[in-house]
Amino acid sequence: MTYLLLPLLSPLILLAAAFFAFRHPGKRPGRVPELAEAAAFAAFAIAAAAAALLILNGSGTSALIGLFGAGFSVRLDAVSAVMLVLVSFIGWIVLRFSKTYLDGEDRQGAFTGWVSTALASVLLLVMSGNLVQLIAAWTLTSLALNQLLLFYPERATARRAARKKAVVARLSEGALAGAVVLLIAATGTTDIETILSTAGAGWLTAAAALLIAAAAVLASAQFPLHGWLTEVMEAPTPVSALLHAGVINAGGFLLIRFADVMLLAPGVMALLVMLGGFTALFGGLVMLAQPAVKTSLAWSTIAQMAFMIMQCGLALFPLALLHIVAHSLYKAHAFLSSGEAVRNVAAIRRPGPVAVPSARNVLQAFAIAIVIYCSVGTVLGFDGKSVQAIALGVILIFGVAYLLAQGFADAAPRALMQRTAAYALAASVSYFALQVIAQHLTAGSLPPAPSPGPLEWALILLALASFGLVAVAQATFPLWASHPAAAGLRVHLTNGLYANAIFDKLLDGWSKRAAA
């Protein structure tokens, strides 16, 4: 099945473009930006062709230049195909945007080279068929990103953010290396397909799952080592788009790729649910208090990655993959268009005062949102849906209820109420439809969600209560915003509840001891 080696051309083309860019590292480096953009588009076209061949011929793994289980090997299945198309598409857009954005910068050629290298590394990561290639690509991705974060090395804030990211990246790489060693000891092979099909319950597998989870959590900027992601804004905007729409997904991909191993460690899955749920609520609340557009988007990424990790902890791996795709496309657009955000908001016509929903309106909105969700679920079919997926849909509808509350406010115009009701219906239909599509595409590649036990039931109920409480508090915020405690809460949330300051102190202390 030689077609399985086709995706390997994508990173090789990008690495060739990077090599040419590094030979012309300065300002306006001739044809370098155009060649890099063409290489990225070629990588995208190859990824799309590989995905089409996958549909026609089926999944598999093919090795090339293998030695002692190492070397290049391509695992092409629904997960890797989706990620290959997504990453190469985002990369093409970022390089095309960078051609104009970086025009006239002193190190434009070097920047183009490191972006191409980062993209090639992520592509090698998502197509990895063996553990050696996986950890090598994981490490190379971190190193390339570090160079991009230091594009302006003279800026102290850029150096500090890059140093924090480097510390977290080394911890993540160490955790992944430990997991690789344990998986080899447990299965006797480095081939990922063999590991997923033969791994059995045991302390080695459970320990490997714990280290995989640790590597994923660290790479996804989760509490309490999340601060670096909110401080990398000194890098050019294309770096932010590449980071938030591409590189940050590596942690989620790792959990999805080793889904069969993770299911053998229910305790680790429970930890993912708790940490992901807490960080999602924490990041979402802090995001609302941020005054800067890009900082708010960074906190949004923390919350979105946390929600995706919670999905993995609930064994909803197809939905987690769908979440990665949707978030990446949204966040790439959000960062690349962030320069227009203030102008667009200022241009919005404000017909009058904002309608404030009462407590009765909020309760009415939540009740109607749940009725809509249940009605759509009954028509499209709750049958065959796992308890976890149904509960996740309820959490989604909590967000829709917030929109409904604005439309149901007594002072709101009828058109707004009709529009928000239509949004609620569309969100419910889309959730069930996309869930069916995701499960169909990943059937045979990802395991189905198992029936929840007592621990899983407790976590599901806790998640529903927590997200529901926060949604109600957000919807009723105008009613208690004038309370003195609200002003103090806003200050604390603006500073991220000072969790990042603790990490800063620990890091500064470690740096001083190392220097001494």
Side-chain angles (χ1 to χ4, degrees), residues 211-234:
L211 289 176
I212 290 173
V217 165
L218 289 167
S220 301
Q222 297 300 283
F223 184 90
L225 302 182
H226 58 277
W228 64 268
L229 189 62
T230 66
E231 298 181 3
V232 295
M233 302 307 167
E234 289 292 344

Side-chain angles (χ1 to χ4, degrees), residues 163 507-516:
R163 183 179 60 163
L507 186 62
D508 289 340
W510 171 79
S511 299
K512 291 177 181 178
R513 288 194 298 271

